[in-house]
Amino acid sequence: MTAVVDETFLLSDRQRDNLLDQVGQCPQNGRALRAFLSSIALAALRPQEALALRVRDVDLPDQGPGELVIYPRRLKDGDEAVEGAGVVRVVQASPELVEILKAEVVRRGLGPEDLMFTRDDGRPLTGAVYRRAWRQARESVLEPSEFSSPLGRSVSGLRDTCIATWLSGHRTAWEIITVADRAGVSASSLARRFPHCFQPPASAEASNALIEAAFAIADPYCEPARAAR
């Protein structure tokens, strides 16, 4: 069953930026961790998608937005199928994210075949490492009541916040499918997970029509597929 995102526990832009800045101050791997988490916060990548990203998969122009090419994730035995994981997609990278990634390429002298995100010594950036850094940042930045709440409790909260921001103000079926394509999910799942984003102030009728349009859109993510081995 698709979990509904509680809008009261989405990070504000200020909270997001303060948390990312705090992560960047980690004495070990701080800049690498900040760049990794920024790809989730600003491009709504799944953590495993970000970890698999190579320099050859990113277009980082001198000006304006760039692009990230996300390839199907190869699943291991026992892995749970993830919606959209079997479809190649192109995600726009904001100018802010482009600058962050360019700085990482230069700082670490990365080549086209290198992973975009690793620890500073070249070892893999594991879930244990980035989850620990995220927890420490939350404890340092958030108020005690916020820290004990679900507010940004997991790294995936950065992705949810990004998707909700993309949906904000988007009131046509075409805009919904564009957001769904970027996030690598179905339009119908957006309606299920982010119902608060499908409530235009105009009228209940308009809100219902938008939700119905989202469910009616045919797109490649409606049936999650396991990546071929």
Side-chain angles (χ1 to χ4, degrees):
M1 184 176 180
T2 302
V4 175
V5 174
D6 188 335
E7 63 179 310
T8 62
F9 294 123
L10 292 174
L11 296 165
S12 68
D13 289 350
R14 178 185 59 79
Q15 290 168 329
R16 177 201 66 199
D17 292 344
N18 288 345
L19 285 165
L20 291 176
D21 287 344
Q22 182 65 33
V23 168
Q25 295 175 28
C26 289
Q28 290 186 323
N29 309 305
R31 293 177 66 177
L33 285 163
R34 189 185 189 284
F36 164 72
L37 293 173
S38 293
S39 73
I40 301 172
L42 302 178
L45 299 190
R46 298 177 178 93
Q48 291 304 314
E49 291 173 338
L51 290 176
L53 200 66
R54 295 185 182 273
V55 176
R56 69 183 181 218
D57 303 328
V58 303
D59 176 27
L60 305 175
D62 292 333
Q63 292 185 329
E67 290 183 338
L68 313 177
V69 180
I70 309 302
Y71 291 98
R73 183 163 62 90
R74 185 178 295 276
L75 300 179
K76 301 176 182 176
D77 288 335
D79 281 359
E80 182 179 354
V82 176
E83 184 185 23
V87 180
V88 177
R89 73 183 194 276
V90 177
V91 182
Q92 181 172 297
S94 67
E96 178 184 359
L97 181 57
V98 167
E99 291 306 312
I100 292 171
L101 298 185
K102 285 168 65 175
E104 273 300 284
V105 171
V106 172
R107 182 178 75 88
R108 293 169 47 213
L110 300 179
E113 299 301 316
D114 291 328
L115 289 170
M116 192 71 242
F117 307 114
T118 66
R119 286 185 259 187
D120 286 342
D121 61 7
R123 289 184 295 162
L125 184 57
T126 64
V129 171
Y130 68 72
R131 283 193 291 268
R132 180 171 60 249
W134 182 247
R135 186 184 187 282
Q136 292 171 345
R138 287 185 73 249
E139 191 168 15
S140 296
V141 170
L142 301 180
E143 298 294 331
S145 60
E146 294 173 331
F147 176 74
S148 61
S149 78
L151 178 67
R153 179 170 291 169
S154 69
V155 168
S156 62
L158 289 169
R159 171 176 158 86
D160 287 340
T161 297
C162 182
I163 293 173
T165 300
W166 286 347
L167 285 171
S168 178
H170 289 172
R171 296 294 176 251
T172 69
W174 178 253
E175 289 172 324
I176 295 167
I177 196 62
T178 298
V179 172
D181 281 343
R182 280 191 183 185
V185 298
S186 65
S188 58
S189 74
L190 292 182
R192 293 190 187 98
R193 296 203 69 227
F194 300 88
H196 65 280
C197 295
F198 290 78
Q199 297 175 4
S203 66
E205 290 77 9
S207 177
N208 290 336
L210 185 64
I211 292 174
E212 290 173 5
F215 276 96
I217 295 171
D219 62 63
Y221 305 113
C222 289
E223 294 294 334
R226 288 183 67 89
R229 292 189 177 90

